Amino acid sequence: MTFISGRQTGRLSALRDCGGRALVRVLAVLALFAALALPAAAASLQEALARFAANDFSETAKAIDEIAESGAPQAVGLMDALLNRRLAVTPDGGVFFTDAQGRAFDALIGNPVAAVPKGAQLVRTNNKLRGQIENSLGTLRLQVADPAKRREAAEVVLRARDVTALPAVRAALSREHDPVIAKVLRETEAALVLASPESSTDQKLLAISVLRTRSDQDAIAALRAATAGAPFSIAQEARRAIVAIEKRLEIQTAMQNVWYGLSLGSVLLLAAIGLAITFGVMGVINMAHGEMVMLGAYTTFVVQELFRAYAPGAFDFSLAIALPLAFLVSGLVGIAIERGIIRFLYGRPLETLLATWGVSLILQQAVRTAFGPTNREVGNPSFMSGAFDLWGMQITYGRLWIVVFTLVVFAGLLLLLKATSFGLRMRAVTQNRRMAASMGIPTARVDALTFGLGSGIAGVAGVALSQIDNVSPNLGQSYIIDSFMVVVFGGVGNLWGTFVSAFALGIANKLMEPVAGAVLAKILILVLLILFIQKRPRGLFALKGRAVES
């Protein structure tokens, strides 16, 4: 145990008193400096704002730099207003601005005001000034609290490569805790170091190695700018980095096209899977299948309109209500078509084609009469909005959910066909209709329910397509030809064949588009499909059965 004497206690008390008095003096000095700095900053901002009254581009350029250096909290709003022509000067020299929501502010003190005074003139800018404003905004936004805005600001500074922003970027990097934004700031710092004539060779080589890990055109632009007039070692390393980035970009482009192909394939599968069922079981060429898709899309529109009118807060649940309703509406219409028209035309494919084509025209005109000929707005729920990056690919949530939904529908349909008595009867009718009838299976009822099932799945496809395409009376016509191509290529009546052919055609189409163009790619796909059918008339996966009709 340690003991402290009375004399030592007195010394400690004296030291505490001295330390306390010293701390008070330091705080007083800091407060004095702060009190002196605030008026100086206000005076600096006031002088910068006074330059706008000159209505001169050179004076405006000086004002932009001075506002950016002032550190005023309203500087970001001021710059944004100037960039978007919302900054105005009154005849007596007062400066006011409005934000994106139309609220007015006094530019000097940053406080809101009732309105911009009458007679105020908007401050003019030109292209050069707008570039300067964007650079200054990028530097200022490096300090904001919103991570997304900080990252966006870092990207802006990287593209601008304004060397004067280097201290601000380093200061932002020193206090950044988000690893993703810190990586972008390091890449921004590297681009500015490369652009700075004061950087050493070692610094520039290190900056090149940092930019080499970034796979985009901004990094390539910074590296190409660094090769101009640079020493051999720097120019050679920059060129190597450019080649490495371009190779990665080619791979990423191919992967992105494959994803687009999977997305297109999921859409084709949704549109074709119902057709594969009806065409395979009954041999009916249903030209009204596209209109079942359209009915599902319009059912989604009606449900969303009801939610907007009566339950706007529950809008995200609209698709959950629209899915079963679309299945019921399209399925019931399909059963009505089969019972009212198609059952009288079995064995007469040409008459069936013409009759269903006429039904499609009637349904289109009915929808035009009820909803009008123009496109209808169908909104996306919050969970289907936005996008994210995956290995350099841009993945939208809407497309991702449609791919997932397509796989769920396909799995559910397989389960229905393999694990239920209705599925067993449907497969029996598909493989040998006469034998199934002789075994007591009601083929007429199976036909009606199968046609209703295929039409209902088409309606569900319409719900999904309404999230990525225009909802109009012609919606189904955009997919009917592609649906028949998918069914014929995969093998009539074979669901796995439809699955494989939909994704194969989708990926092939998207891989050909960058080389041949969108129109020529579709023509090439059609030509290749015709040649394939010449060799394999029954498609990729032909059904096997003892059909006495064949």
Side-chain angles (χ1 to χ4, degrees), residues 160-375:
R161 299 195 295 278
D162 185 359
V163 179
T164 60
L166 188 55
V169 171
R170 285 173 172 162
L173 183 58
S174 66
R175 60 177 177 267
E176 184 59 62
H177 300 293
D178 189 317
V180 176
I181 302 176
K183 180 178 181 294
V184 178
L185 285 170
R186 281 193 293 272
E187 293 164 350
T188 303
E189 180 189 21
L192 298 181
V193 166
L194 271 181
S196 174
E198 299 178 359
S199 302
S200 65
T201 300
D202 291 339
Q203 289 175 326
K204 290 192 174 184
L205 290 175
L206 181 60
I208 290 172
S209 66
V210 171
L211 285 175
R212 186 171 186 159
T213 63
R214 181 184 174 101
S215 301
D216 65 0
Q217 295 297 332
D218 293 333
I220 292 176
L223 290 167
R224 281 179 177 160
T227 60
F232 176 76
S233 60
I234 295 176
Q236 185 182 36
E237 193 64 26
R239 292 190 189 97
R240 288 175 181 170
I242 290 172
V243 171
I245 292 174
E246 287 177 341
K247 287 181 179 178
R248 283 202 304 273
L249 286 177
E250 290 177 0
I251 296 173
Q252 287 178 359
T253 301
M255 292 174 60
Q256 185 76 64
N257 287 332
V258 170
W259 162 249
Y260 288 151
L262 290 174
S263 177
L264 175 61
S266 66
V267 171
L268 293 178
L269 179 59
L270 272 178
I273 194 170
L275 187 64
I277 296 173
T278 56
F279 197 12
V281 174
M282 295 176 288
V284 174
I285 303 175
N286 181 18
M287 294 301 293
H289 184 77
E291 278 55 52
M292 302 299 107
V293 176
M294 175 196 68
L295 290 178
Y298 272 98
T299 302
T300 309
F301 165 72
V302 172
V303 170
Q304 287 197 352
E305 286 299 301
L306 293 174
F307 268 86
R308 288 191 179 103
Y310 300 104
F315 184 80
D316 283 353
F317 297 98
S318 61
L319 286 187
I321 304 298
L323 282 171
L325 285 179
F327 181 86
L328 287 175
V329 169
S330 298
L332 291 175
V333 172
I335 291 175
I337 293 173
E338 196 278 336
R339 290 287 85 189
I341 300 174
I342 293 176
R343 71 188 180 101
F344 301 109
L345 301 174
Y346 286 130
R348 297 153 63 185
L350 181 59
E351 286 88 342
T352 305
L353 186 150
L354 292 174
T356 53
W357 180 59
V359 170
S360 74
L361 296 179
I362 293 171
L363 290 175
Q364 287 183 45
Q365 190 56 46
V367 169
R368 284 193 183 92
T369 303
F371 298 98
T374 58
N375 295 341

Side-chain angles (χ1 to χ4, degrees), residues 414-429:
L414 281 180
L415 186 64
L416 174 69
L417 293 179
K418 300 292 184 181
T420 65
S421 60
F422 172 69
L424 179 62
R425 293 172 182 174
M426 186 188 301
R427 285 184 287 129
V429 173

